[in-house]
């Protein structure tokens, strides 16, 4: 039987690569840097499937990939998929939900703790040899436990954060979604809130929505102005869901107490980004799902999704907008 030709353009684990090799005739981009566009387009000419995490799958790419049937992401976010262009050509797009929620939720809790308890700042302080016996109040932070958390985007990751916050930190958890999650309200004791009330009443505001046309710059000047001056803002969704200039202004003007950021409008973040100079901002380099175990699971899920979709099995991992009628 002739195996379908596949391109692995993003890094995946050896096991995932071996899995793909069992069912497909594959070519892998070896470079440490992202595959250059001209190389990508040339290699896609004869490919039916590809692992394309973070690479825009748009009209331009598709015009160089006449045989492409499946684009597989090693991520849960799929804002790199131009749904309209893919739909027009009947391309299936897959992602990796169900294997990274807990890892991302752990990081979000870490960002909440790090901002409120000034962990990064005080780590530098100790290591710089500045800790003196008389230090006391200047080392104080704020409590996380028992405060109010507002989650914008009560999806899979939102629920994993809510569980930690509610049962581990005794927080009151409010959430905003376009649709109410009655099951989550029952099981996790979370409370639905409208957008404005959530912003006005939360001690921590966590943003964990997908990046879409609706969520682009969902949090900007107006939203920061509504938040408490004592609030911390955490973004682990995508950088473009936040108007970064508005965030910088809000932090500089003390409209917010601090921010914990895993994602940025431009990644890698530019060294001259003012966010990097603000002491009340904790930054990490988009590491939400970055643990060995989770990344391996994600890579294997993406490999299985790719093979399954090439074989005509459109599983739940096919992104909802590209699922065909009759598929699960
Ligand atoms: P999910 O299960 O699809 O949940 C997304 C939630 O966002 C849903 O509850 C959805 O509810 C809500 N939402 C969507 N559009 C909205 C809008 N316009 N206003 C308010 N709520 C909206 O996705 P997930 O697995 O939790 O992941 C969420 C996002 O996190 C991903 O898309 C990705 O961008 C990001 N992420 C980041 C990392 C990282 O490394 N930092 C890792 C994984 C994922 P409604 O549709 O009812 O509104």
């Amino acid at each position: 039987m002739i195996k379908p030709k596949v391109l692995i353009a993003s890094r995946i684990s050896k096991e995932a690569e071996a899995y793909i090799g069992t069912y497909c005739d594959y070519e892998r981009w070896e470079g440490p840097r992202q595959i250059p566009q001209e190389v990508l387009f040339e290699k896609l000419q004869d490919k039916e499937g590809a692992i394309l995490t973070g690479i825009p799958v748009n009209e331009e790419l598709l015009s160089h990939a006449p045989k492409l049937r499946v684009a597989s992401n090693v991520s849960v976010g799929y804002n790199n998929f131009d749904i309209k262009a893919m739909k027009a050509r009947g391309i299936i797009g897959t992602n990796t939900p169900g294997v990274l929620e807990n890892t991302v939720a752990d990081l979000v809790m870490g960002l909440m703790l790090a901002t409120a308890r000034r962990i990064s700042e005080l780590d530098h302080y100790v290591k710089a040899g500045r800790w003196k016996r008389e230090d006391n109040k200047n080392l104080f932070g704020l409590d996380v436990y028992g405060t109010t958390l507002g989650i914008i985007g009560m999806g899979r990751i939102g629920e994993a954060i809510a569980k930690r916050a509610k049962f581990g930190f005794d927080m009151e958890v409010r959430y905003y979604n376009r649709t109410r999650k009655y099951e989550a309200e029952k099981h996790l004791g979370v409370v639905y809130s409208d957008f404005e009330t959530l912003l006005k009443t939360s001690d921590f505001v966590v943003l964990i929505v997908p990046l879409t046309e609706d969520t682009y710059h969902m949090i900007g000047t107006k939203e920061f102005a509504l938040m408490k001056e004592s609030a911390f803002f955490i973004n682990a969704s995508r950088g473009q869901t936040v108007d970064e200039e508005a965030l910088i202004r809000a932090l500089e003007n003390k409209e917010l107490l601090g921010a914990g950021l895993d994602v940025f409008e431009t990644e890698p973040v530019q060294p001259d980004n003012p966010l990097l100079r603000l002491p009340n901002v904790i930054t990490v380099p988009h590491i939400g799902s970055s643990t060995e175990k989770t990344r391996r699971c994600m890579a294997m899920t993406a490999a299985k999704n790719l093979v399954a979709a090439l074989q005509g099995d459109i599983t739940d991992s096919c992104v909802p907008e590209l699922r065909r009628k009759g598929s699960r």
Side-chain angles (χ1 to χ4, degrees):
M1 204 181 82
I2 300 170
K3 291 177 172 180
K5 287 192 169 153
V6 157
L7 175 68
I8 303 173
S10 333
R11 251 172 293 163
I12 58 168
S13 63
K14 288 274 168 229
E15 302 100 287
E17 187 179 326
Y19 182 87
I20 291 173
T22 309
Y23 301 96
C24 308
D25 174 9
Y26 76 92
E27 197 178 347
R28 181 166 65 96
W29 167 246
E30 303 277 351
R33 285 165 165 259
Q34 182 158 312
I35 185 167
Q37 196 184 62
E38 64 281 9
V39 181
L40 174 70
F41 288 176
E42 191 264 314
K43 289 191 183 299
L44 280 175
Q45 282 294 335
D46 60 349
K47 302 297 187 294
E48 290 180 62
I51 302 266
L52 291 169
T53 321
I55 296 171
V57 182
N58 52 20
E59 200 50 61
E60 191 186 10
L61 178 141
L62 295 176
S63 69
H64 290 87
K67 297 186 173 173
L68 196 74
R69 293 194 282 125
V70 183
S72 172
N73 264 3
V74 192
S75 68
V76 74
Y78 52 89
N79 45 289
N80 60 317
F81 289 169
D82 178 335
I83 298 293
K84 204 169 149 216
M86 289 173 75
K87 218 172 191 168
R89 291 174 188 252
I91 311 285
I92 292 161
T94 67
N95 64 340
T96 63
V99 294
L100 50 72
E101 293 75 24
N102 285 313
T103 301
V104 181
D106 282 354
L107 181 80
V108 167
M109 295 311 293
L111 288 172
M112 285 165 60
L113 290 162
T115 47
R117 299 301 301 271
R118 304 163 56 196
I119 289 174
S120 175
E121 178 198 341
L122 295 179
D123 169 57
H124 290 302
Y125 174 86
V126 174
K127 288 177 182 165
R130 289 167 50 214
W131 186 15
K132 291 184 230 74
R133 202 161 277 284
E134 55 275 23
D135 282 340
N136 182 19
K137 270 191 114 172
N138 56 333
L139 308 184
F140 285 6
L142 289 160
D143 283 324
V144 174
Y145 86 92
T147 58
T148 299
L149 167 64
I151 300 176
I152 303 170
M154 183 59 84
R156 289 169 295 247
I157 301 171
E159 286 196 27
I161 297 165
K163 192 168 158 193
R164 284 157 175 74
K166 183 80 189 171
F167 303 119
F169 289 80
D170 203 16
M171 296 175 90
E172 182 181 326
V173 183
R174 299 177 183 176
Y175 77 98
Y176 170 71
N177 250 10
R178 290 167 304 178
T179 42
R180 273 185 77 166
K181 302 279 286 276
Y182 293 102
E183 269 304 300
E185 289 177 24
K186 208 162 102 192
H187 288 114
L188 299 171
V190 296
V191 177
Y192 181 79
S193 168
D194 66 78
F195 191 48
E196 275 202 24
T197 308
L198 180 142
L199 295 171
K200 282 180 183 164
T201 56
S202 300
D203 299 306
F204 293 86
V205 175
V206 169
L207 185 61
I208 191 73
V209 289
L211 173 62
T212 63
E213 278 177 15
D214 286 347
T215 62
Y216 176 80
H217 282 196
M218 179 179 197
I219 305 289
T221 306
K222 182 171 153 245
E223 290 71 27
F224 288 122
L226 289 171
M227 290 181 203
K228 291 182 182 182
E229 285 181 3
S230 58
F232 292 98
F233 173 68
I234 311 292
N235 188 12
S237 60
R238 287 288 184 265
Q240 293 92 331
T241 54
V242 174
D243 177 346
E244 210 164 88
E245 284 182 11
L247 172 62
I248 294 163
R249 275 196 307 275
L251 288 161
E252 285 175 343
N253 297 340
K254 310 244 180 298
E255 287 172 50
L256 276 180
L257 207 49
L261 306 171
D262 184 36
V263 290
F264 301 85
E265 286 214 67
T266 304
E267 294 181 2
V269 70
Q270 298 303 298
D272 61 350
N273 187 323
L275 285 170
L276 307 189
R277 294 198 309 273
L278 294 169
N280 51 347
V281 176
I282 299 274
T283 58
V284 284
H286 201 147
I287 54 161
S289 64
S290 303
T291 65
E292 185 70 33
K293 184 176 156 203
T294 295
R295 281 295 172 87
R296 280 159 77 126
C297 280
M298 288 166 69
M300 191 48 106
T301 305
K304 288 185 173 170
N305 288 341
L306 176 68
V307 170
L310 284 169
Q311 292 174 346
D313 177 9
I314 314 308
T315 64
D316 285 341
S317 295
C318 176
V319 304
E321 297 91 329
L322 294 170
R323 245 170 247 165
R324 292 190 192 128
K325 265 195 184 155
S327 61
R328 278 188 286 137

